[in-house]
Amino acid sequence: GWSWLYNLFSETLSDSLKEGIQGQVCPLITDEVNNDLNSILDTLELQSDIDENCYIDYSLIQPPFVTKEALFVDGKGEIFDKSDPKECTSPKQDMPETVDSERMVTLWITEYMLNTAGYAYQTAGFLQYNLTSDDIPDKIPIKMTTGFFKYFVPILYKTYPDKDLTLWLYVTKPVTFDVNKAGVSG
């Protein structure tokens, strides 16, 4: 019944509230960022363990800053091997300078961050696996033995008849990712 009345004023009322809140909140946030946020951020731990192999460094690249549209906090977002932290050789990317002012928070994860993960885990030796017969379900007819592979590699069977095999799977170079409008691929 009364929805027409609501619809008549809802957009105007919504826009007025939004402008009023932005007009009062934005100057407060700008003042807090410029005066207090940097000292608070100096007390934060800027590295976190991901697991026993790697950690992420999200220390700031530059001080946070506020524009009319957004608060920008530019963090490194690099992942390192704990035992041998080295800078990834993948090229770094600039963050987009545009923001969607309709959203409260926008988080950019670049291809560089994903590539540092691939680099760190490869450097840590984490991207390797030893495949044995125990890893293959019983319903799959493949067996990790020289007998099973004797027609593919006869010399192996002749040298080691009916022996168990272990297949060592590993990456020879860091896994890399491509991030574009269509999605993420690696």
Side-chain angles (χ1 to χ4, degrees):
W2 292 96
S3 62
W4 65 271
L5 185 60
Y6 169 78
N7 290 333
L8 183 66
F9 292 104
S10 68
E11 190 173 319
T12 305
L13 185 59
S14 175
D15 290 344
S16 295
L17 283 172
K18 188 176 178 181
E19 288 173 15
I21 289 171
Q22 282 179 339
Q24 292 179 2
V25 173
C26 288
L28 291 173
I29 291 174
T30 302
D31 185 58
E32 286 297 316
V33 168
N34 291 336
N35 296 320
D36 298 327
L37 185 60
N38 286 329
S39 61
I40 293 168
L41 289 174
D42 286 341
T43 65
L44 295 178
E45 185 67 37
L46 297 175
Q47 292 181 353
S48 294
D49 287 348
I50 296 172
D51 56 28
E52 66 277 356
N53 298 300
C54 295
Y55 69 90
I56 185 167
D57 177 354
Y58 43 84
S59 56
L60 298 178
I61 295 172
Q62 63 184 11
F65 63 95
V66 176
T67 68
K68 189 172 109 181
E69 293 84 24
L71 162 66
F72 288 88
V73 180
D74 198 0
K76 272 180 125 175
E78 288 183 87
I79 297 172
F80 292 96
D81 170 14
K82 284 182 182 180
S83 65
D84 189 18
K86 291 183 200 166
E87 196 79 22
C88 178
T89 57
S90 181
K92 294 181 179 164
Q93 297 157 304
D94 293 329
M95 292 290 117
E97 293 186 16
T98 60
V99 293
D100 182 351
S101 60
E102 296 298 314
R103 299 179 189 261
M104 294 253 331
V105 174
T106 302
L107 175 67
W108 283 290
I109 297 177
T110 66
E111 153 179 311
Y112 178 73
M113 180 185 172
L114 298 174
N115 289 339
T116 64
Y119 182 79
Y121 280 100
Q122 193 265 341
T123 303
F126 186 73
L127 301 177
Q128 58 186 349
Y129 188 76
N130 291 329
L131 180 68
T132 66
S133 288
D134 294 338
D135 298 313
I136 301 173
D138 291 335
K139 60 184 172 186
I140 296 178
I142 297 172
K143 299 300 171 208
M144 295 298 295
T145 64
T146 58
F148 183 82
F149 288 97
K150 69 181 171 184
Y151 298 108
F152 301 107
V153 190
I155 190 73
L156 183 65
Y157 179 74
K158 186 176 181 181
T159 309
Y160 305 100
D162 296 319
K163 298 289 182 179
D164 287 336
L165 288 176
T166 298
L167 182 61
W168 182 35
L169 305 168
Y170 64 96
V171 296
T172 58
K173 60 183 183 177
V175 177
T176 58
F177 296 88
D178 179 37
V179 179
N180 56 49
K181 291 179 182 179
V184 178
S185 60

